[in-house]
Structures are given as structure tokens and as C-alpha cells.
Amino acid sequence: MASRHVLQQKLSRAGCEIRGDETVCGLIDGAMPATEDDWSTEYLDAIISVRVVDNIDEAVAHIRQCGSGHTESIVTENELAAEQFFRDVDSSIVLQNASRQFADGCEFGFGAEIGIATGRIHACGPVGADQLRSYKFVVGGSGQVRP
């Protein structure tokens, strides 16, 4: 219960708008009801959409329906839940207890990022075995964020 208030206070101090489902709106003072569009919107602003689910299967189903296919993150200390999340979420980058802001080419040692690909087939022109390779990055953390 105390961690909920700490999170709410930190988000509020940072000027972050919280949008959520019925449960979230009942738990967090000032949370706005989320619309269906909120679940798949990348705001590019200090806005967060939060949905409470009963289990990891519901979380994965929600991500399959609304996720980007690029970067998804789970906040949990339950290693079994994290393992299932990593296995079942079909995104190029999956993170545990780390900010989605780490989804950057420079953070992975690729140098300056010149584009973002969310497709599954990336090769064009002559294709050999190396061009058929795809990657899924699995990142574990303990609450790190990027400045």
C-alpha cells in the first residue's frame, strides 16, 4: 500500500498525468479514466496509462492486443512471472524492472540510432543466412532509469 502512494507522489511531482482502468482510478487520487485508445498510444508526453490485471496471462494478452511489438516492460520481483513475460511477449526488447527508455540503439552499443523497425522481416535485396537473423533483447534491471 505504501509503495502505491510513493509511486503516485513521484509521478505527481514530475507532472505526470495518470490514466487508468476502474481499479486504478479507485486507488489513485486524480487518475483519469483511460479510453480504449490510451492502451495503444505512445504519448510522447508525461502521461502514463495503467491497467490492473489478475495474472501474467492477462498481462501478456493485453500486450498482444495493444503493445507495440518493439519494447515492453514488466515491473516485478517474481522471477517466474518475468521468465513467462520474456518467453511469451513477442517484442524485440523485453525488460524487467528497467525503464523502456533503454530501448535505444546507443544503449545496446549500436551507435547512433537512425530508425526504428517494428516489422519482422528486415532484409531487402539479396538475402543470405545472416540477413534472416532477428533479435530479441532481454534486459533485467533493479529499477534503473535513464536521465
Side-chain angles (χ1 to χ4, degrees):
M1 193 70 101
S3 62
R4 169 176 54 95
H5 296 294
V6 170
L7 180 60
Q8 177 184 353
Q9 290 170 358
K10 287 184 177 194
L11 289 172
S12 294
R13 275 196 297 261
C16 184
E17 178 181 317
I18 302 169
R19 299 179 187 178
D21 64 7
E22 191 174 312
T23 302
V24 170
C25 288
L27 291 171
I28 298 178
D29 296 333
M32 307 282 294
T35 67
E36 278 306 308
D37 288 340
D38 284 318
W39 305 127
S40 57
T41 297
E42 184 175 354
Y43 301 107
L44 303 177
D45 201 348
I47 302 170
I48 185 172
S49 296
V50 181
R51 173 176 273 167
V52 175
V53 294
D54 290 329
N55 54 54
I56 191 71
D57 292 323
E58 284 186 27
V60 170
H62 174 76
I63 290 167
R64 283 183 179 148
Q65 180 180 349
C66 303
S68 68
H70 188 274
T71 307
E72 307 300 344
S73 181
I74 185 171
V75 178
T76 185
E77 293 179 4
N78 182 322
E79 292 303 318
L80 290 176
E83 287 176 24
Q84 182 178 349
F85 181 87
F86 290 158
R87 182 184 64 244
D88 294 349
V89 171
D90 186 19
S91 289
S92 60
I93 305 169
V94 289
L95 305 107
Q96 175 189 4
N97 300 335
S99 170
R100 292 175 71 233
Q101 291 177 313
F102 284 106
D104 180 53
C106 188
E107 294 294 327
F108 287 101
F110 301 154
E113 188 172 279
I114 59 171
I116 297 173
T118 56
R120 298 291 183 240
I121 302 297
H122 58 281
C124 182
V127 177
D130 284 344
Q131 290 76 34
L132 293 176
R133 184 177 313 155
S134 63
Y135 300 93
K136 178 174 185 172
F137 297 95
V138 178
V139 180
S142 57
Q144 290 87 347
V145 296
R146 282 179 65 187

